[in-house]
Amino acid sequence: MLRHLAGRRIYVESAGVRAGEPDPFAIAVMDEIGIDISDHVPQAIDDLHDLGFDRIVTLAPEAQHKALELAQGYAIDVVYWPTPDPTLATGPRDVILDAYRAVRDRLFSKIKAEFPVQGAGGV
């Protein structure tokens, strides 16, 4: 989302605790707001080659611990934004999509507040 808002004005990478496969629910809810992530392949924090970050934002406790380990010895600010895990949602497709939408909208609001990028669009 930050890459969408900032373009090349801010260096952005996305990584999790583990690499994974593209999530069709995440793809669907991002497509609803005009962001195509269908080609995004989730990578692991350990696979990042460039540690030239000013800030790492984590969304889950396990990621927070991993980022703190990674940032040791570097001047990197690590912040934690506790976020519900939408992959834990169960039920009909609409219920699951609503869980993903809630996370998307919450993160989009936080990103726009934390990284005010001039000319940034939004939800």
Side-chain angles (χ1 to χ4, degrees):
M1 287 182 259
L2 180 56
R3 186 177 294 127
H4 173 76
L5 292 172
R8 295 176 183 250
R9 292 176 280 183
I10 299 175
Y11 174 65
V12 178
E13 283 290 341
S14 174
V17 175
R18 289 170 290 286
E21 296 297 318
D23 183 326
F25 290 111
I27 292 168
V29 300
M30 294 304 290
D31 187 56
E32 291 174 353
I33 61 169
I35 300 175
D36 180 7
I37 63 166
S38 60
D39 290 334
H40 176 73
V41 178
Q43 65 179 333
I45 292 171
D46 291 334
D47 294 336
L48 294 175
H49 301 298
D50 182 358
L51 294 179
F53 301 107
D54 295 319
R55 180 177 301 160
I56 296 174
V57 176
T58 63
L59 308 178
E62 188 178 1
Q64 175 72 2
H65 294 295
K66 189 75 168 173
L68 288 171
E69 287 175 15
L70 179 75
Q72 281 184 337
Y74 293 93
I76 302 173
D77 183 27
V78 178
V79 296
Y80 177 45
W81 295 351
T83 305
D85 183 352
T87 66
L88 300 178
T90 60
R93 178 177 169 78
D94 288 343
V95 170
I96 296 170
L97 284 170
D98 283 344
Y100 276 78
R101 288 179 187 117
V103 169
R104 175 201 66 200
D105 294 347
R106 178 179 173 176
L107 288 175
F108 216 123
S109 292
K110 264 191 104 67
I111 288 167
K112 288 193 304 186
E114 188 72 21
F115 303 93
V117 179
Q118 191 147 12
V123 179

